[in-house]
PDB file of all heavy atoms in Angstrom:
ATOM      1  N   LEU A   1      -2.959 -13.063   2.609  1.00 95.00           N
ATOM      2  CA  LEU A   1      -2.925 -12.886   3.970  1.00 95.00           C
ATOM      3  C   LEU A   1      -1.914 -11.711   4.361  1.00 95.00           C
ATOM      4  O   LEU A   1      -2.198 -10.949   5.281  1.00 95.00           O
ATOM      5  CB  LEU A   1      -2.297 -14.204   4.714  1.00 95.00           C
ATOM      6  CG  LEU A   1      -3.378 -15.230   4.816  1.00 95.00           C
ATOM      7  CD1 LEU A   1      -2.677 -16.539   5.141  1.00 95.00           C
ATOM      8  CD2 LEU A   1      -4.441 -14.903   5.909  1.00 95.00           C
ATOM      9  N   LEU A   2      -0.965 -11.626   3.675  1.00 95.00           N
ATOM     10  CA  LEU A   2       0.051 -10.444   3.806  1.00 95.00           C
ATOM     11  C   LEU A   2      -0.553  -9.158   3.361  1.00 95.00           C
ATOM     12  O   LEU A   2      -0.452  -8.086   3.909  1.00 95.00           O
ATOM     13  CB  LEU A   2       1.364 -10.645   3.205  1.00 95.00           C
ATOM     14  CG  LEU A   2       2.423  -9.692   3.428  1.00 95.00           C
ATOM     15  CD1 LEU A   2       2.716  -9.412   4.885  1.00 95.00           C
ATOM     16  CD2 LEU A   2       3.757  -9.959   2.697  1.00 95.00           C
ATOM     17  N   SER A   3      -1.299  -9.210   2.248  1.00 94.00           N
ATOM     18  CA  SER A   3      -1.999  -8.066   1.665  1.00 94.00           C
ATOM     19  C   SER A   3      -3.061  -7.380   2.768  1.00 94.00           C
ATOM     20  O   SER A   3      -3.161  -6.256   2.754  1.00 94.00           O
ATOM     21  CB  SER A   3      -2.727  -8.362   0.290  1.00 94.00           C
ATOM     22  OG  SER A   3      -1.754  -8.811  -0.614  1.00 94.00           O
ATOM     23  N   GLN A   4      -3.724  -8.428   3.411  1.00 94.00           N
ATOM     24  CA  GLN A   4      -4.636  -7.874   4.489  1.00 94.00           C
ATOM     25  C   GLN A   4      -3.908  -7.029   5.505  1.00 94.00           C
ATOM     26  O   GLN A   4      -4.396  -6.059   6.007  1.00 94.00           O
ATOM     27  CB  GLN A   4      -5.201  -9.084   5.246  1.00 94.00           C
ATOM     28  CG  GLN A   4      -6.228  -9.940   4.399  1.00 94.00           C
ATOM     29  CD  GLN A   4      -6.628 -11.073   5.130  1.00 94.00           C
ATOM     30  OE1 GLN A   4      -6.229 -11.481   6.212  1.00 94.00           O
ATOM     31  NE2 GLN A   4      -7.558 -11.876   4.513  1.00 94.00           N
ATOM     32  N   LEU A   5      -2.768  -7.501   5.932  1.00 95.00           N
ATOM     33  CA  LEU A   5      -1.882  -6.682   6.870  1.00 95.00           C
ATOM     34  C   LEU A   5      -1.545  -5.311   6.332  1.00 95.00           C
ATOM     35  O   LEU A   5      -1.603  -4.298   7.092  1.00 95.00           O
ATOM     36  CB  LEU A   5      -0.747  -7.533   7.363  1.00 95.00           C
ATOM     37  CG  LEU A   5      -0.939  -8.799   8.128  1.00 95.00           C
ATOM     38  CD1 LEU A   5       0.350  -9.522   8.493  1.00 95.00           C
ATOM     39  CD2 LEU A   5      -1.787  -8.626   9.344  1.00 95.00           C
ATOM     40  N   VAL A   6      -1.193  -5.275   5.052  1.00 94.00           N
ATOM     41  CA  VAL A   6      -0.755  -3.975   4.496  1.00 94.00           C
ATOM     42  C   VAL A   6      -1.903  -3.148   4.374  1.00 94.00           C
ATOM     43  O   VAL A   6      -1.808  -1.896   4.502  1.00 94.00           O
ATOM     44  CB  VAL A   6      -0.035  -4.307   3.142  1.00 94.00           C
ATOM     45  CG1 VAL A   6       0.247  -2.913   2.371  1.00 94.00           C
ATOM     46  CG2 VAL A   6       1.222  -5.073   3.319  1.00 94.00           C
ATOM     47  N   ALA A   7      -3.039  -3.606   4.041  1.00 94.00           N
ATOM     48  CA  ALA A   7      -4.275  -2.857   3.932  1.00 94.00           C
ATOM     49  C   ALA A   7      -4.658  -2.204   5.298  1.00 94.00           C
ATOM     50  O   ALA A   7      -4.971  -1.030   5.409  1.00 94.00           O
ATOM     51  CB  ALA A   7      -5.488  -3.741   3.406  1.00 94.00           C
ATOM     52  N   ALA A   8      -4.355  -2.955   6.396  1.00 95.00           N
ATOM     53  CA  ALA A   8      -4.576  -2.441   7.715  1.00 95.00           C
ATOM     54  C   ALA A   8      -3.655  -1.335   8.097  1.00 95.00           C
ATOM     55  O   ALA A   8      -3.903  -0.434   8.788  1.00 95.00           O
ATOM     56  CB  ALA A   8      -4.648  -3.546   8.704  1.00 95.00           C
ATOM     57  N   ALA A   9      -2.436  -1.577   7.570  1.00 95.00           N
ATOM     58  CA  ALA A   9      -1.348  -0.489   7.860  1.00 95.00           C
ATOM     59  C   ALA A   9      -1.382   0.655   6.907  1.00 95.00           C
ATOM     60  O   ALA A   9      -0.646   1.555   7.142  1.00 95.00           O
ATOM     61  CB  ALA A   9       0.083  -1.336   7.818  1.00 95.00           C
ATOM     62  N   TRP A  10      -1.989   0.559   5.852  1.00 94.00           N
ATOM     63  CA  TRP A  10      -1.989   1.605   4.849  1.00 94.00           C
ATOM     64  C   TRP A  10      -2.209   3.060   5.342  1.00 94.00           C
ATOM     65  O   TRP A  10      -1.625   3.889   4.877  1.00 94.00           O
ATOM     66  CB  TRP A  10      -2.814   1.191   3.651  1.00 94.00           C
ATOM     67  CG  TRP A  10      -2.614   2.080   2.401  1.00 94.00           C
ATOM     68  CD1 TRP A  10      -3.502   2.935   1.810  1.00 94.00           C
ATOM     69  CD2 TRP A  10      -1.465   2.207   1.747  1.00 94.00           C
ATOM     70  NE1 TRP A  10      -2.971   3.554   0.818  1.00 94.00           N
ATOM     71  CE2 TRP A  10      -1.678   3.182   0.648  1.00 94.00           C
ATOM     72  CE3 TRP A  10      -0.121   1.657   1.704  1.00 94.00           C
ATOM     73  CZ2 TRP A  10      -0.739   3.533  -0.265  1.00 94.00           C
ATOM     74  CZ3 TRP A  10       0.855   2.049   0.794  1.00 94.00           C
ATOM     75  CH2 TRP A  10       0.589   3.014  -0.101  1.00 94.00           C
ATOM     76  N   PRO A  11      -3.182   3.156   6.159  1.00 92.00           N
ATOM     77  CA  PRO A  11      -3.524   4.502   6.740  1.00 92.00           C
ATOM     78  C   PRO A  11      -2.293   5.218   7.369  1.00 92.00           C
ATOM     79  O   PRO A  11      -2.147   6.463   7.373  1.00 92.00           O
ATOM     80  CB  PRO A  11      -4.590   4.267   7.729  1.00 92.00           C
ATOM     81  CG  PRO A  11      -5.358   3.069   7.307  1.00 92.00           C
ATOM     82  CD  PRO A  11      -4.234   2.179   6.698  1.00 92.00           C
ATOM     83  N   TYR A  12      -1.350   4.379   7.952  1.00 92.00           N
ATOM     84  CA  TYR A  12      -0.140   4.768   8.503  1.00 92.00           C
ATOM     85  C   TYR A  12       1.048   4.958   7.444  1.00 92.00           C
ATOM     86  O   TYR A  12       1.734   5.847   7.457  1.00 92.00           O
ATOM     87  CB  TYR A  12       0.350   3.941   9.655  1.00 92.00           C
ATOM     88  CG  TYR A  12      -0.742   3.712  10.759  1.00 92.00           C
ATOM     89  CD1 TYR A  12      -1.701   2.641  10.648  1.00 92.00           C
ATOM     90  CD2 TYR A  12      -0.802   4.514  11.809  1.00 92.00           C
ATOM     91  CE1 TYR A  12      -2.513   2.453  11.641  1.00 92.00           C
ATOM     92  CE2 TYR A  12      -1.694   4.408  12.831  1.00 92.00           C
ATOM     93  CZ  TYR A  12      -2.622   3.253  12.689  1.00 92.00           C
ATOM     94  OH  TYR A  12      -3.610   3.082  13.735  1.00 92.00           O
ATOM     95  N   ALA A  13       0.999   4.011   6.520  1.00 93.00           N
ATOM     96  CA  ALA A  13       2.127   4.040   5.640  1.00 93.00           C
ATOM     97  C   ALA A  13       1.889   4.747   4.324  1.00 93.00           C
ATOM     98  O   ALA A  13       2.903   5.071   3.574  1.00 93.00           O
ATOM     99  CB  ALA A  13       2.321   2.533   5.141  1.00 93.00           C
ATOM    100  N   ALA A  14       0.589   5.082   4.037  1.00 90.00           N
ATOM    101  CA  ALA A  14       0.312   5.863   2.812  1.00 90.00           C
ATOM    102  C   ALA A  14       1.148   7.119   2.518  1.00 90.00           C
ATOM    103  O   ALA A  14       1.531   7.330   1.336  1.00 90.00           O
ATOM    104  CB  ALA A  14      -1.110   6.224   2.687  1.00 90.00           C
ATOM    105  N   ALA A  15       1.399   7.811   3.546  1.00 86.00           N
ATOM    106  CA  ALA A  15       2.103   9.134   3.364  1.00 86.00           C
ATOM    107  C   ALA A  15       3.418   8.946   2.778  1.00 86.00           C
ATOM    108  O   ALA A  15       3.963   9.738   1.945  1.00 86.00           O
ATOM    109  CB  ALA A  15       2.105   9.932   4.711  1.00 86.00           C
ATOM    110  N   ALA A  16       4.185   7.935   3.249  1.00 82.00           N
ATOM    111  CA  ALA A  16       5.431   7.605   2.723  1.00 82.00           C
ATOM    112  C   ALA A  16       5.514   6.884   1.433  1.00 82.00           C
ATOM    113  O   ALA A  16       6.512   6.853   0.747  1.00 82.00           O
ATOM    114  CB  ALA A  16       6.239   6.818   3.786  1.00 82.00           C
ATOM    115  N   HIS A  17       4.455   6.218   1.066  1.00 80.00           N
ATOM    116  CA  HIS A  17       4.490   5.245  -0.151  1.00 80.00           C
ATOM    117  C   HIS A  17       3.439   5.692  -1.260  1.00 80.00           C
ATOM    118  O   HIS A  17       3.564   5.113  -2.345  1.00 80.00           O
ATOM    119  CB  HIS A  17       4.228   3.846   0.180  1.00 80.00           C
ATOM    120  CG  HIS A  17       5.252   3.452   1.306  1.00 80.00           C
ATOM    121  ND1 HIS A  17       6.471   2.925   0.891  1.00 80.00           N
ATOM    122  CD2 HIS A  17       5.316   3.295   2.549  1.00 80.00           C
ATOM    123  CE1 HIS A  17       7.237   2.604   1.885  1.00 80.00           C
ATOM    124  NE2 HIS A  17       6.418   2.799   2.967  1.00 80.00           N
ATOM    125  N   SER A  18       2.438   6.502  -1.064  1.00 72.00           N
ATOM    126  CA  SER A  18       1.362   6.713  -2.001  1.00 72.00           C
ATOM    127  C   SER A  18       1.908   7.408  -3.205  1.00 72.00           C
ATOM    128  O   SER A  18       1.246   7.358  -4.304  1.00 72.00           O
ATOM    129  CB  SER A  18       0.206   7.525  -1.374  1.00 72.00           C
ATOM    130  OG  SER A  18       0.695   8.774  -0.881  1.00 72.00           O
ATOM    131  N   GLY A  19       2.981   8.115  -3.104  1.00 73.00           N
ATOM    132  CA  GLY A  19       3.466   8.859  -4.271  1.00 73.00           C
ATOM    133  C   GLY A  19       4.336   7.988  -5.158  1.00 73.00           C
ATOM    134  O   GLY A  19       4.824   8.445  -6.214  1.00 73.00           O
ATOM    135  N   GLU A  20       4.531   6.765  -4.776  1.00 80.00           N
ATOM    136  CA  GLU A  20       5.357   5.814  -5.641  1.00 80.00           C
ATOM    137  C   GLU A  20       4.602   5.477  -6.942  1.00 80.00           C
ATOM    138  O   GLU A  20       3.329   5.414  -6.925  1.00 80.00           O
ATOM    139  CB  GLU A  20       5.666   4.595  -4.883  1.00 80.00           C
ATOM    140  CG  GLU A  20       6.569   4.854  -3.740  1.00 80.00           C
ATOM    141  CD  GLU A  20       6.851   3.673  -2.792  1.00 80.00           C
ATOM    142  OE1 GLU A  20       6.271   2.535  -3.181  1.00 80.00           O
ATOM    143  OE2 GLU A  20       7.372   3.736  -1.744  1.00 80.00           O
ATOM    144  N   GLU A  21       5.316   5.426  -8.068  1.00 87.00           N
ATOM    145  CA  GLU A  21       4.626   5.127  -9.368  1.00 87.00           C
ATOM    146  C   GLU A  21       4.436   3.839  -9.643  1.00 87.00           C
ATOM    147  O   GLU A  21       5.375   2.906 -10.056  1.00 87.00           O
ATOM    148  CB  GLU A  21       5.570   5.838 -10.390  1.00 87.00           C
ATOM    149  CG  GLU A  21       5.719   7.417 -10.326  1.00 87.00           C
ATOM    150  CD  GLU A  21       6.481   7.932 -11.546  1.00 87.00           C
ATOM    151  OE1 GLU A  21       6.778   7.054 -12.397  1.00 87.00           O
ATOM    152  OE2 GLU A  21       6.676   9.103 -11.577  1.00 87.00           O
ATOM    153  N   HIS A  22       3.113   3.290  -9.408  1.00 91.00           N
ATOM    154  CA  HIS A  22       2.810   2.005  -9.775  1.00 91.00           C
ATOM    155  C   HIS A  22       1.377   1.962 -10.323  1.00 91.00           C
ATOM    156  O   HIS A  22       0.610   2.914  -9.879  1.00 91.00           O
ATOM    157  CB  HIS A  22       2.750   1.102  -8.434  1.00 91.00           C
ATOM    158  CG  HIS A  22       4.094   0.883  -7.843  1.00 91.00           C
ATOM    159  ND1 HIS A  22       5.071   0.088  -8.327  1.00 91.00           N
ATOM    160  CD2 HIS A  22       4.665   1.428  -6.658  1.00 91.00           C
ATOM    161  CE1 HIS A  22       6.131   0.022  -7.491  1.00 91.00           C
ATOM    162  NE2 HIS A  22       5.835   0.878  -6.527  1.00 91.00           N
ATOM    163  N   ALA A  23       1.129   1.074 -11.230  1.00 92.00           N
ATOM    164  CA  ALA A  23      -0.134   0.886 -11.858  1.00 92.00           C
ATOM    165  C   ALA A  23      -0.565  -0.561 -11.796  1.00 92.00           C
ATOM    166  O   ALA A  23       0.238  -1.451 -11.660  1.00 92.00           O
ATOM    167  CB  ALA A  23      -0.035   1.336 -13.189  1.00 92.00           C
ATOM    168  N   TRP A  24      -1.903  -0.797 -11.827  1.00 94.00           N
ATOM    169  CA  TRP A  24      -2.371  -2.170 -11.801  1.00 94.00           C
ATOM    170  C   TRP A  24      -1.850  -3.114 -12.811  1.00 94.00           C
ATOM    171  O   TRP A  24      -1.551  -4.186 -12.578  1.00 94.00           O
ATOM    172  CB  TRP A  24      -3.948  -2.180 -11.878  1.00 94.00           C
ATOM    173  CG  TRP A  24      -4.522  -1.617 -10.689  1.00 94.00           C
ATOM    174  CD1 TRP A  24      -5.391  -0.541 -10.633  1.00 94.00           C
ATOM    175  CD2 TRP A  24      -4.408  -2.036  -9.319  1.00 94.00           C
ATOM    176  NE1 TRP A  24      -5.724  -0.164  -9.305  1.00 94.00           N
ATOM    177  CE2 TRP A  24      -5.165  -1.149  -8.454  1.00 94.00           C
ATOM    178  CE3 TRP A  24      -3.688  -3.023  -8.577  1.00 94.00           C
ATOM    179  CZ2 TRP A  24      -5.254  -1.257  -7.198  1.00 94.00           C
ATOM    180  CZ3 TRP A  24      -3.759  -3.209  -7.257  1.00 94.00           C
ATOM    181  CH2 TRP A  24      -4.554  -2.267  -6.425  1.00 94.00           C
ATOM    182  N   GLU A  25      -1.294  -2.372 -13.903  1.00 94.00           N
ATOM    183  CA  GLU A  25      -0.733  -3.307 -15.066  1.00 94.00           C
ATOM    184  C   GLU A  25       0.539  -3.753 -14.702  1.00 94.00           C
ATOM    185  O   GLU A  25       1.083  -4.710 -15.481  1.00 94.00           O
ATOM    186  CB  GLU A  25      -0.734  -2.351 -16.214  1.00 94.00           C
ATOM    187  CG  GLU A  25      -2.000  -2.031 -17.017  1.00 94.00           C
ATOM    188  CD  GLU A  25      -2.746  -1.000 -16.191  1.00 94.00           C
ATOM    189  OE1 GLU A  25      -2.096  -0.287 -15.403  1.00 94.00           O
ATOM    190  OE2 GLU A  25      -3.960  -0.751 -16.401  1.00 94.00           O
TER     191      GLU A  25
END
């Protein structure tokens, strides 16, 4: 349920967070 909200906010938040180093593992 929280992930749904982050997915909806991601177009706005991606610029600040997409460069963070995370992997699915």
Side-chain angles (χ1 to χ4, degrees):
L1 285 168
L2 183 56
S3 297
Q4 288 174 3
L5 296 181
V6 173
W10 190 243
Y12 303 91
H17 299 280
S18 58
E20 297 173 5
E21 294 184 5
H22 295 285
W24 291 119
E25 292 75 19

